[in-house]
Amino acid sequence: MPSTVPPAPARPHPPADPTARPTTGAATTTASTAAATPDTVPRRRTRLLALPEARWAAVALLAFALALPLHLTGAPAWIWGPLYACAYAAGGSEPALAGLRALRERTLDVDLLMVAAGLGAAAIGQVLDGALLIVIFAVSGALEALATARTADSVRGLLDLAPATAARLFPDGSEQDVPVEELAVGDTVLVRPGERIGADGRVLDGVSEVDQATITGEPLPVPKAAGDEVFAGTLNGTGALRVRVERDAAGSVVARIVAMVEEAAETKAPTQLFIEKVEQRYSLGMVTAALAVFAVPLAFGSAFTDALLRAMTFLIVASPCALVLATMPPLLSAIANAGRHGVLVKSAAALERLGRTGVVALDKTGTLTEGAPRLSAVHPLPGSGLTPDGLLALAAAAERPSEHPLARAVLRAARERALPLAPATDFTATPGTGVRATVDGRVVGVTSPTGATGGGGAAGGGAGADELVRAAERGGRTAVLVAVDGVVAGVLEFADRLRPDAAGAVAALRGLTGAEPVLLTGDNPGAAARVAAEAGVTDVRAGLLPQDKVAAVRELAASGRAVLMVGDGVNDAPALAAAHAGAAMGRAGSDLAVETADAVVVRDELTALPAVVALARRARRLVVQNLVVAAAFVTALTAWDLFGTLPLPLGVLGHEGSTVLVGLNGLRLLRESAWRRAARSGTGSGTGARG
């Protein structure tokens, strides 16, 4: 049943007595607990070996690993031969079948070409080369399938934020639990304390506080009263709410976030289509050339064996092994090096996208800031007879039983100052107002400014307190009043503290890209402006919902620059997907943000971002170098085979030599000096190469 409480839109305080907590459904989770972990999304995980691509790749890799030492040590062919055959079958059967299906649609893909090249190598005795080629492509296909599955898991997990059922109220006062999919616009639902809200709607009755960090990114629960909008999947606090449904389940903000993530991911398809066109042309060219190399000499009287040998040599020297390795070692080495320094880059393609970064968009809460409120100032009022430490000690003693985020910040500050705290008795918490307790015989109230005259234990703030509160709010900070025996004695200010390395990282990204970083946040303009000023960001866009962040990212991209979006919350996921590249904060980041992003800053060290961008740019330069070397070898060897007589051993030596050369060149990025050089590039004056 709904409870009607006087509206006082301010900070919440959960009850001190654990037995007073609700005990049904999701009600065992309090708003304060949710604030500690605001972006928790139900986790779904596809196991690696649950994917058929991964199982086949594992079999191929194991068979190759067993056959290789036997082959190299001169063991009989009947021992290692079946193992190589197993590697060919396990790693090449699925690409071959897919390629044959594509042939039915008159399309020739590069995977089928790789299988043909591997079989061609085996046909002329180069079994090892062919098996290695097959295994490389099988493993890369498995990793791609895993990444796709994990992203899908995380998107489906987001939908689990919304509860499965909701309590629908009827005009006669009765209620019925119904699936949220059955809720219609205009229905009224009851949301009890600690429950997740089942549908987007507007509060009809009741006062509470709602943790909506999953939608807006705000670090503190937001007071809600009659007329306020609420979102599906957000967590109700300590009050009961009656909510009128304004959107069905498919149109809720959570559902729209999922749709936007999927839509934004699809916008990258044109690049994939371009790659497929290149693969198609290359495949057709290879097949045509190989057939010509075999048929033309045969037509002019060449021996069948000689023509076949020349064609097989062509397949070997024109095989794209060196071209494949030209790209992967630099990118994978950079990925490994970045991983050692706390940045997880998910794929080679993701690293390439990072290397093209031309402008950076940053979330505020949990990205530039630590994502938790901290006490920033203590103001005892004249005439209170209290010092700052004395005022803080009284407030901390009164707040000790509370679990509210601001209460934890007060207690943390008191511990850091080593203040002794007197025991508190008669503790009471009023939702939307504050707390009151008896400390050393004095009644101490810690209340919101709006609740000071509404029963929170203070007789009003007075001119001095009001001015302090207004100054704090103008600066984007949160203020609370501390009253002693009903008289306001001082004001406490709270702020979401900037990460220590935020300003340095912003300056480094500005120098590296040659463009001003942009702050995109769902928080209020005052708080956004304060953080931006401390971090050195001049372009600030505040009060943004997820779709607004997506629009801002697309606006930046329209200028012709590749956008790197950096965020941590579920509300950042659509923008992360819409951006050219995305990076998520790892420690406090939501599952969806982490899965959607191209890179994860595992240790939440912002200075690693410019370093990894610089490293990605160097990897791209090495890729270009390797492609030039590999293309030169392929061109020279194929020309020799076409217009002269290239001995097969020399062709294999040239092919393998170019492969080793480009591989070693790329492995240079594994060295520790490569990261140090990238870090210096990221923190230097920034000549502004945009990659």
Side-chain angles (χ1 to χ4, degrees):
M1 276 54 64
S3 61
T4 303
V5 238
R11 64 172 232 167
H13 277 275
D17 183 3
T19 61
R21 299 179 187 272
T23 56
T24 59
T28 55
T29 303
T30 66
S32 62
T33 304
T37 55
D39 291 320
T40 301
V41 178
R43 178 179 292 270
R44 301 188 184 201
R45 285 286 181 181
T46 297
R47 291 180 296 106
L48 177 61
L49 293 180
L51 300 171
E53 296 93 341
R55 293 195 296 269
W56 286 118
V59 173
L61 185 60
L62 178 61
F64 181 79
L66 292 174
L68 182 61
L70 295 173
H71 186 188
L72 297 180
T73 55
W78 62 267
I79 298 179
W80 48 261
L83 292 172
Y84 277 139
C86 180
Y88 274 88
S93 58
E94 182 58 34
L97 291 174
L100 292 175
R101 286 193 293 268
L103 278 178
R104 295 177 184 173
E105 301 174 1
R106 298 183 180 180
T107 302
L108 184 62
D109 63 19
V110 75
D111 286 351
L112 181 60
L113 178 60
M114 294 306 100
V115 174
L119 293 175
I124 59 170
Q126 303 299 321
V127 180
L128 174 58
D129 286 348
L132 178 60
L133 186 64
I134 295 295
V135 169
I136 288 175
F137 273 82
V139 172
S140 65
L143 294 177
E144 181 180 353
L146 179 63
T148 301
R150 288 286 169 85
T151 301
D153 288 344
S154 130
V155 173
R156 289 194 302 269
L158 174 59
L159 291 173
D160 292 340
L161 276 174
T165 61
R168 181 163 57 190
L169 296 176
F170 296 96
D172 61 2
S174 61
E175 67 177 77
Q176 178 186 13
D177 285 342
V178 298
V180 293
E181 293 82 4
E182 295 182 8
L183 292 176
V185 175
D187 283 349
T188 300
V189 296
L190 172 64
V191 185
R192 295 184 173 86
E195 291 184 342
R196 289 197 179 271
I197 296 172
D200 287 6
R202 199 163 297 275
V203 177
L204 294 175
D205 186 19
V207 174
S208 186
E209 61 292 325
V210 175
D211 180 358
Q212 52 189 37
T214 52
I215 302 299
T216 66
E218 293 170 281
L220 294 175
V222 178
K224 297 292 181 181
D228 290 334
E229 186 177 20
V230 292
F231 303 108
T234 55
L235 188 65
N236 186 29
T238 54
L241 298 174
R242 285 196 305 129
V243 176
R244 182 180 65 244
V245 177
E246 294 189 341
R247 300 186 190 94
D248 57 26
S252 69
V253 171
V254 171
R256 293 205 305 272
I257 289 178
V258 174
M260 282 188 291
V261 170
E262 294 172 343
E263 178 187 353
E266 290 174 0
T267 61
K268 297 174 183 176
T271 301
Q272 182 62 31
L273 291 174
F274 173 76
I275 293 173
E276 290 175 359
K277 288 180 182 178
V278 172
E279 289 178 347
Q280 178 72 6
R281 293 169 183 170
Y282 181 80
S283 303
L284 292 173
M286 280 285 296
V287 171
T288 302
L291 292 175
V293 168
F294 173 69
V296 171
L298 192 63
F300 282 90
S302 178
F304 179 85
T305 303
D306 293 341
L308 180 61
L309 182 59
R310 182 184 293 270
M312 289 300 98
T313 304
F314 176 83
L315 282 175
I316 291 296
V317 299
S319 171
C321 289
L323 293 171
V324 171
L325 287 178
T327 302
M328 297 309 296
L331 300 178
L332 294 180
S333 297
I335 289 171
N337 204 338
R340 291 202 306 266
H341 294 87
V343 182
L344 172 62
V345 182
K346 296 185 178 179
S347 68
L351 191 78
E352 284 189 318
R353 290 193 291 271
L354 287 170
R356 297 189 181 97
T357 297
V359 63
V360 180
L362 299 145
D363 175 50
K364 181 183 77 70
T365 305
T367 301
L368 283 178
T369 69
E370 294 176 347
R374 288 186 177 266
L375 185 70
S376 59
V378 181
H379 302 290
L381 295 180
S384 66
L386 294 172
T387 64
D389 282 356
L391 181 67
L392 178 59
L394 286 175
E399 291 273 29
R400 183 186 288 179
S402 174
E403 296 181 12
H404 189 273
L406 295 184
R408 291 197 296 270
V410 170
L411 291 169
R412 185 188 306 113
R415 285 195 298 268
E416 290 172 353
R417 302 187 189 191
L419 300 180
L421 301 184
T425 58
D426 301 326
F427 174 85
T428 59
T430 304
T433 301
V435 302
R436 183 172 59 184
T438 301
V439 181
D440 282 341
R442 293 180 289 182
V443 177
V444 178
V446 184
T447 66
S448 68
T450 54
T453 57
D466 290 345
E467 179 56 35
L468 288 170
V469 169
R470 286 194 294 269
E473 292 175 346
R474 285 194 299 268
R477 297 179 294 277
T478 300
V480 299
L481 303 180
V482 180
V484 179
D485 292 330
V487 178
V488 175
V491 176
L492 305 181
E493 290 186 16
F494 300 85
D496 188 5
R497 192 168 69 177
L498 193 74
R499 293 187 187 275
D501 56 352
V506 167
L509 290 167
R510 180 187 299 111
L512 196 61
T513 62
E516 284 294 328
V518 181
L519 179 62
L520 305 179
T521 178
D523 216 339
N524 65 77
R530 176 185 64 82
V531 170
E534 294 177 6
V537 179
T538 58
D539 190 346
V540 182
R541 308 181 190 188
L544 304 181
L545 287 172
Q547 58 266 33
D548 302 321
K549 290 187 177 184
V550 171
V553 165
R554 289 175 175 164
E555 178 187 335
L556 292 171
S559 67
R561 292 176 178 267
V563 181
L564 169 61
M565 175 68 195
V566 186
D568 71 305
V570 167
N571 58 309
D572 298 319
L576 288 168
H580 186 81
M585 309 304 286
R587 286 182 176 170
S590 68
D591 283 351
L592 185 61
V594 169
E595 295 291 352
T596 303
D598 295 301
V600 180
V601 185
V602 177
R603 303 168 190 164
D604 286 1
E605 295 173 350
L606 281 175
T607 50
L609 277 174
V612 78
V613 170
L615 187 67
R617 291 183 173 182
R618 190 178 177 204
R620 289 184 63 217
R621 290 194 295 270
L622 286 185
V623 166
V624 173
Q625 293 175 13
N626 284 349
L627 287 172
V628 170
V629 171
F633 269 88
V634 169
T635 301
L637 292 173
T638 53
W640 190 350
D641 185 53
L642 291 173
F643 304 110
T645 302
L646 175 63
L648 179 59
L650 189 57
V652 172
L653 179 62
H655 174 264
E656 297 300 332
S658 64
T659 301
V660 171
L661 181 62
V662 298
L664 291 178
N665 189 41
L667 292 177
R668 290 191 296 152
L669 292 186
L670 279 174
R671 295 181 299 185
E672 183 68 22
S673 59
W675 180 263
R676 290 197 299 268
R677 179 178 174 183
R680 287 195 300 270
S681 299
T683 56
S685 60
T687 54
R690 294 178 195 171

